[in-house]
């Protein structure tokens, strides 16, 4: 019975470590995403409403989807740098052309999610207010895009090369 009790903490160690790794990375990803959210929000609202609050029309008021694309692109540059330098810093991953291409492709898909939310609100539901634009494109769209980005960045943009090499080395023995 004593040996069984001693083995339990050892068995939980790797699981706890993995959980902690995901928790820390997830919180860092959300922090970077939070700043990106503010960048997206301010850029979109300055372009569409000339101010980050309702009651004014900006230079792209009649082109909200284009304004949203610009806002997402600006925020995406920040997210790449923030996630590379902070969130996934502990992962040993090289910057390669394929990974940069993956980042761009995945962001285009994520942009599409946000654009679909904003477009649905504007052109299907007929909602054209500051509040509806920000709920659909900035809140709902960004929430969907953030989940998508976390899962895909981890796998294809910032994979852990050291872990992949260790698995390849272990499989080759």
């Amino acid at each position: 019975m004593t040996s069984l009790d001693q083995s339990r903490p050892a068995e939980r160690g790797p699981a706890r470590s993995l959980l902690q790794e995901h928790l820390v990375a997830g919180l860092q990803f959300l922090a970077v995403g939070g700043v990106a959210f503010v960048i997206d929000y301010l850029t979109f609202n300055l372009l569409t409403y000339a101010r980050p609050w309702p009651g004014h029309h900006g230079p792209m008021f009649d082109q909200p989807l284009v304004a949203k694309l610009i806002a997402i692109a600006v925020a995406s540059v920040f997210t790449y740098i923030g996630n590379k330098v902070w969130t996934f810093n502990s992962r040993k991953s090289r910057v390669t052309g394929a990974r940069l291409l993956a980042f761009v492709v995945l962001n285009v898909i994520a942009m599409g999610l946000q654009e679909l939310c904003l477009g649905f609100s504007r052109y299907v539901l007929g909602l054209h207010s500051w509040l509806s634009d920000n709920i659909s494109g900035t809140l709902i769209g960004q929430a969907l895009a953030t989940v998508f980005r976390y899962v895909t960045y981890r796998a294809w943009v910032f994979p852990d090369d050291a872990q992949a090499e260790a698995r390849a080395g272990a499989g080759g023995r």
Side-chain angles (χ1 to χ4, degrees), residues 9-27:
E11 291 171 4
R12 283 190 235 149
R16 278 195 181 154
S17 176
L18 185 61
L19 180 62
Q20 284 178 322
E21 177 188 337
H22 279 289
L23 183 61
V24 169
L27 290 173

Side-chain angles (χ1 to χ4, degrees), residues 91-167:
R91 301 182 125 219
K92 305 299 180 216
S93 62
R94 294 176 298 279
V95 176
T96 65
R99 289 182 182 159
L100 288 173
L101 178 63
F103 176 80
V104 170
V105 168
L106 295 171
N107 270 292
V108 167
I109 294 168
M111 284 177 177
L113 292 170
Q114 287 184 262
E115 289 285 308
L116 282 171
C117 291
L118 178 59
F120 182 80
S121 173
R122 272 273 178 140
Y123 303 113
V124 175
L125 299 178
L127 303 172
H128 297 270
S129 73
W130 170 86
L131 183 61
S132 64
D133 283 354
N134 281 287
I135 288 173
S136 62
T138 306
L139 287 177
I140 296 170
Q142 186 131 358
L144 292 172
T146 297
V147 170
F148 173 79
R149 283 182 178 116
Y150 180 73
V151 171
T152 58
Y153 282 9
R154 193 171 172 77
W156 294 306
V157 179
F158 305 113
D160 193 337
D161 292 337
Q163 285 181 357
E165 289 170 9
R167 280 192 300 266

Side-chain angles (χ1 to χ4, degrees), residues 1-12:
M1 187 154 182
T2 305
S3 65
L4 181 61
D5 291 338
Q6 290 173 350
S7 67
R8 281 188 181 155
E11 291 171 4
R12 283 190 235 149

Side-chain angles (χ1 to χ4, degrees), residues 47-118:
L47 292 172
T48 310
Y49 296 101
R51 295 189 182 155
W53 52 87
H56 298 87
H57 293 273
M60 300 185 88
F61 180 76
D62 294 327
Q63 299 173 311
L65 296 178
V66 175
K68 184 49 113 176
L69 279 176
I70 292 168
I72 296 167
V74 172
S76 292
V77 170
F78 173 80
T79 62
Y80 181 84
I81 294 166
N83 285 314
K84 176 67 180 156
V85 171
W86 191 41
T87 307
F88 299 112
N89 185 33
S90 65
R91 301 182 125 219
K92 305 299 180 216
S93 62
R94 294 176 298 279
V95 176
T96 65
R99 289 182 182 159
L100 288 173
L101 178 63
F103 176 80
V104 170
V105 168
L106 295 171
N107 270 292
V108 167
I109 294 168
M111 284 177 177
L113 292 170
Q114 287 184 262
E115 289 285 308
L116 282 171
C117 291
L118 178 59

